[in-house]
Amino acid sequence: MNEILEVNNLSVSFHTLNGDIQAVRDVSFSLRAGEILVIVGESGCGKSVLCKAIMKLLPSAAKIRSGSIRVKGADITGYRERDMQRLRGKLFSMILQDPMTALNPIMPVGTQIAEAVKVHQPKITKKELKKRVIELLTLVGIERPEERMNMYPCHFSGGMRQRSVMAAALAGNPEILFADEPTTALDVTIQAQILNLLRDIRHKLGTAAVFVTHDLGIAARIADRVAVMYAGKIVEIGTAEEIFTDPRHPYTWGLMKSLPAFSKGRDELYTIPGMPPTPHHLPKGDAFACRNEYALAIDYEEEPPVFQVTDTHYAATWLLDERAPKIPSGAAVLKSADLRDGGKQYPAGGVMKTGIKEEILLDVRHLSYTFSIRDKLSVKAAEDVSFQIRRGEIFGLIGESGSGKSTVARCIMNIYRPPGQGAAGGRGKADIRRGSDMEASGAGRILYKGIDICEPGQFRRNKRMLETTRQMIFQDSNSSLNPRMKVGDIIAEPLKIHRINPPRGSLRAEAEFQMRYVGLDAGYLDKYPAELSGGQRQRVAIARALTMEPELLVADEPIASLDVSIQAQIVNLFRHLQKEHGFSFLFIAHDLAMVEFLCDRVGVMYQGKLVETAPVKELFSNPKHEYTKKLLSCLNDIRYAPI
């Protein structure tokens, strides 16, 4: 196959008040027609910047310092914006990481997709245009496309918004598709659809793809080749088989060992020690040396060159130098039992039960919630949902995008106001939220610590307690953080609002402690959310919630945008909070492997209903409902099986 894209020694930097930041450093790779190259690595390592540099979508503060970009033989490194506009959409297109900022909130989703179609087919008729929009929405797995094409982004779940962005990106049938975390907000069933879709497009149209993800299971399934990035550099690249069966860089080993599959029956997941270096303070020598248990003396002095393992496999580590001491191969390292030591061993699939008490902390009874849009479409987001969470328990809630998981979470937190309480056991109904085109109504009861939070009088009398002992981590970290506040102020804000003395003496010290707790350097405290990557923003949101040391933490997709090593840190943190403080969690996720590892009990939602609830081991080993069986079959299909 011919090389359709060639990137040679590309370096990108950002100019800031504190000097230039090296986001991408001397990166080289090629892409063949019809090939899928997957780029994996920790949040902030330069994956998204690399893709945007090729597309010339960098902000004004960013600059390509050196290197070249060749597309179909033409050097586009010096192309102006006018030249790039002719290429975008048709030659290459991009699925952006954050669907909330990629979609216009005041335009119907179908209209936005239609705009992308008309750019490439200006003479298309109105009838053909509508047909094409419906076709694209169907292609990416959105049900009832004729109805939903007239809805706005706010009416869609996070996963549905992501699929809409993908539909717009595919409108021009591009030859190269850059997909920046396109499956982050999607459940496993839709992930499978999207991966199958990308493969079908590759086979039918010969479309090549650069697929950015932190999910190694997805990389193993879809990739022809895999590139591993760390601190702005590609540290290892090879075919998918080479990377997953014989990795050679210690960082690649660390990523793989962080997978739940390597820690079954353990109290904790493996985590890579330390934290990634900040881009403006890169250490001398190998940037990974301080986190590398196999580091050599030369790693701290000199950056390693790229060593060739095979004709298609390359890695930048001094361990491949002929003078380096001999160590086991990558396959042997991952198989060795000593590298799986993460703590005390527990029965496979089990979770510590010592912190769980019989006392019921949260009792959801017959909760229903319906959205009505312009009197044309009613969506039952939640229908007759009932479950309980005990003190010290981690209750997982899984289900496909749009199944009502986030709606249930927001009702529990009084963000969506449930109806006032009627007679005991009754089913009241009331209008809850009104807007220019949307109304919402609900029914049921929610008891927290015995207090009916649906009853206005009880809520008002216990308002301070409810606001301090319950905290929520939202799915979209970008919109949940104030863009005008610095990170340190965001984390300390709950303490200031409720006039609580910081446990560690000062608000700054408290913010620093919480930052370290979630794996971020204290240097980020003086940055704004816009200066952080998606994964870093999510960790800030988690740190803010943990500042109040809540009794109930409602976590809505808290690890969806995090890479596997940071996911492991956060999941271990949740386990620690359960063990040490007796916190209770409602853990909403589409990563079934993490749910299986972390949770005590699991509820499965489908089309607004809670169709199955069971202890985690029982549900994953013997599912009863057909939808649960379908979910778990997708898990087995996608998840990387350790060698």
Side-chain angles (χ1 to χ4, degrees):
M1 292 186 290
N2 296 325
E3 292 178 340
I4 191 172
L5 172 66
E6 295 178 81
V7 177
N8 296 305
N9 306 114
L10 185 68
S11 295
V12 179
S13 64
F14 285 78
H15 180 70
T16 70
L17 295 176
N18 297 322
D20 288 349
I21 293 177
Q22 301 178 63
V24 175
R25 302 185 294 140
D26 199 27
V27 167
S28 298
F29 69 91
S30 62
L31 182 71
R32 303 180 184 92
E35 181 183 35
I36 297 179
L37 172 69
V38 175
I39 302 177
V40 299
E42 287 182 294
S43 178
C45 71
K47 305 185 300 291
S48 299
V49 173
L50 175 60
C51 294
K52 290 180 180 179
I54 297 170
M55 291 276 293
K56 295 294 186 68
L57 293 175
L58 293 170
S60 57
K63 181 180 180 181
I64 295 177
R65 306 288 297 185
S66 60
S68 64
I69 305 167
R70 301 182 70 86
V71 179
K72 300 180 72 173
D75 190 343
I76 67 169
T77 313
Y79 271 27
R80 295 172 296 179
E81 176 61 20
R82 183 175 59 186
D83 301 319
M84 293 301 299
Q85 287 177 357
R86 291 196 292 266
L87 300 180
R88 295 191 195 114
K90 194 67 178 176
L91 178 59
F92 43 47
S93 186
M94 188 170 187
I95 303 168
L96 297 173
Q97 182 177 2
D98 184 4
M100 277 302 292
T101 55
L103 293 172
N104 189 328
I106 61 172
M107 289 177 62
V109 169
T111 302
Q112 298 184 58
I113 297 173
E115 279 188 344
V117 175
K118 286 190 288 186
V119 167
H120 308 292
Q121 302 178 55
K123 296 182 180 180
I124 191 171
T125 65
K126 189 174 182 179
K127 183 178 180 180
E128 291 173 336
L129 180 61
K130 181 179 179 181
K131 181 180 177 181
R132 176 61 174 159
V133 171
I134 292 174
E135 178 184 307
L136 288 167
L137 288 172
T138 303
L139 197 64
V140 297
I142 292 183
E143 298 177 352
R144 295 182 290 174
E146 290 190 56
E147 296 177 359
R148 285 182 162 143
M149 66 183 291
N150 298 315
M151 297 168 68
Y152 291 82
C154 64
H155 302 148
F156 280 22
S157 68
M160 292 168 66
R161 288 193 292 262
Q162 186 67 285
R163 282 176 270 166
S164 302
V165 171
M166 177 172 282
L170 295 172
N173 295 323
E175 295 184 52
I176 304 173
L177 182 65
F178 291 93
D180 188 4
E181 301 280 9
T183 59
T184 291
L186 306 182
D187 59 272
V188 290
T189 55
I190 302 302
Q191 281 181 359
Q193 290 181 25
I194 296 302
L195 298 182
N196 290 334
L197 168 62
L198 287 173
R199 279 202 302 268
D200 290 343
I201 292 170
R202 185 257 296 271
H203 292 308
K204 293 176 182 178
L205 306 177
T207 303
V210 177
F211 194 103
V212 173
T213 184
H214 59 258
D215 191 323
L216 295 181
I218 289 176
R221 175 172 176 180
I222 197 173
D224 296 312
R225 287 190 300 142
V226 177
V228 182
M229 285 193 73
Y230 184 80
K233 293 182 70 72
I234 290 180
V235 297
E236 185 166 8
I237 188 169
T239 66
E241 182 179 1
E242 289 169 335
I243 296 298
F244 284 103
T245 61
D246 189 23
R248 294 303 182 97
H249 198 282
Y251 175 60
T252 312
W253 301 341
L255 286 180
M256 292 188 181
K257 289 187 292 179
S258 299
L259 293 170
F262 279 97
S263 299
K264 275 201 168 184
R266 304 282 173 171
D267 182 28
E268 291 186 348
L269 296 170
Y270 174 87
T271 60
I272 301 175
M275 293 180 290
T278 55
H280 52 282
H281 286 135
L282 291 173
K284 184 180 179 182
D286 185 1
F288 187 63
C290 61
R291 308 178 71 191
N292 180 9
E293 60 184 299
Y294 295 99
L296 306 173
I298 193 173
D299 280 308
Y300 296 94
E301 299 295 330
E302 189 175 340
E303 198 165 1
V306 177
F307 292 91
Q308 182 175 349
V309 181
T310 69
D311 290 341
T312 55
H313 191 183
Y314 299 84
T317 171
W318 284 113
L319 294 175
L320 293 176
D321 190 282
E322 59 183 12
R323 298 165 294 179
K326 299 301 179 184
I327 64 170
S329 66
V333 166
L334 293 179
K335 284 181 179 178
S336 62
D338 60 310
L339 291 179
R340 297 192 185 188
D341 289 343
K344 187 177 179 181
Q345 189 161 358
Y346 290 84
V351 177
M352 289 190 305
K353 305 297 180 183
T354 55
I356 301 177
K357 301 177 181 179
E358 290 301 318
E359 179 187 352
I360 295 173
L361 182 68
L362 179 71
D363 189 359
V364 179
R365 301 180 182 178
H366 306 292
L367 176 66
S368 296
Y369 199 90
T370 301
F371 293 99
S372 299
I373 302 166
R374 293 181 176 178
D375 298 324
K376 295 181 180 179
L377 178 65
S378 292
V379 178
K380 290 186 176 181
E383 185 176 359
D384 198 23
V385 174
S386 298
F387 63 91
Q388 298 174 334
I389 299 178
R390 295 173 175 81
R391 282 194 179 273
E393 182 179 36
I394 300 181
F395 184 86
L397 200 58
I398 61 177
E400 65 186 14
S401 176
S403 63
K405 304 186 300 295
S406 296
T407 298
V408 170
R410 288 169 182 248
C411 287
I412 290 171
M413 293 299 295
N414 292 96
I415 297 171
Y416 291 168
R417 296 296 176 91
Q421 177 183 350
R427 298 286 305 274
K429 186 168 184 178
D431 288 340
I432 302 170
R433 191 176 63 174
R434 294 183 181 271
S436 58
D437 67 341
M438 179 163 61
E439 294 182 354
S441 60
R445 301 176 67 193
I446 301 174
L447 304 178
Y448 173 72
K449 298 176 71 171
I451 299 167
D452 189 343
I453 65 173
C454 304
E455 203 281 309
Q458 290 196 45
F459 180 83
R460 285 193 298 269
R461 287 192 295 273
N462 298 277
K463 188 172 185 294
R464 178 178 170 82
M465 183 274 291
L466 292 172
E467 290 180 348
T468 55
T469 63
R470 302 179 303 165
Q471 292 293 313
M472 183 169 182
I473 302 167
F474 292 91
Q475 182 176 0
D476 180 18
S477 60
N478 190 48
S479 60
S480 67
L481 302 180
N482 190 331
R484 297 186 178 184
M485 292 177 64
K486 292 183 178 180
V487 167
D489 296 328
I490 289 172
I491 295 174
E493 186 180 25
L495 296 175
K496 294 175 65 177
I497 290 174
H498 297 287
R499 298 179 181 179
I500 298 174
N501 293 326
R504 287 154 192 92
S506 69
L507 293 174
R508 179 80 179 190
E510 185 66 28
E512 287 181 2
F513 174 82
Q514 298 298 343
M515 287 283 279
R516 289 194 300 271
Y517 219 38
V518 297
L520 280 178
D521 189 89
Y524 288 101
L525 287 173
D526 296 315
K527 294 183 178 295
Y528 291 92
E531 299 178 81
L532 275 57
S533 69
Q536 290 166 343
R537 285 195 298 268
Q538 186 66 293
R539 278 179 273 171
V540 171
I542 293 171
R544 177 179 59 184
L546 296 179
T547 300
M548 298 300 293
E549 297 190 356
E551 294 181 50
L552 174 66
L553 183 62
V554 177
D556 188 2
E557 303 281 9
I559 59 175
S561 60
L562 305 181
D563 58 88
V564 290
S565 61
I566 302 301
Q567 281 184 358
Q569 289 181 20
I570 298 303
V571 167
N572 286 343
L573 171 61
F574 288 164
R575 180 69 65 82
H576 169 76
L577 292 173
Q578 180 204 40
K579 179 181 178 182
E580 298 295 328
H581 304 284
F583 292 175
S584 301
F585 293 86
L586 174 60
F587 184 76
I588 299 173
H590 62 258
D591 188 331
L592 302 187
M594 285 295 186
V595 170
E596 181 183 14
F597 179 83
L598 177 66
C599 296
D600 301 298
R601 288 190 303 128
V602 183
V604 182
M605 290 200 68
Y606 180 62
Q607 295 184 349
K609 296 181 179 180
L610 191 64
V611 297
E612 186 168 359
T613 305
V616 63
K617 187 175 181 180
E618 179 181 333
L619 186 134
F620 277 81
S621 63
N622 187 27
K624 302 297 185 183
H625 196 274
E626 288 302 316
Y627 176 68
T628 309
K629 295 177 182 178
K630 180 182 176 182
L631 273 181
L632 298 183
S633 69
C634 291
L635 167 67
N636 295 330
D637 193 24
I638 291 177
R639 184 173 59 185
Y640 167 64
I643 52 181

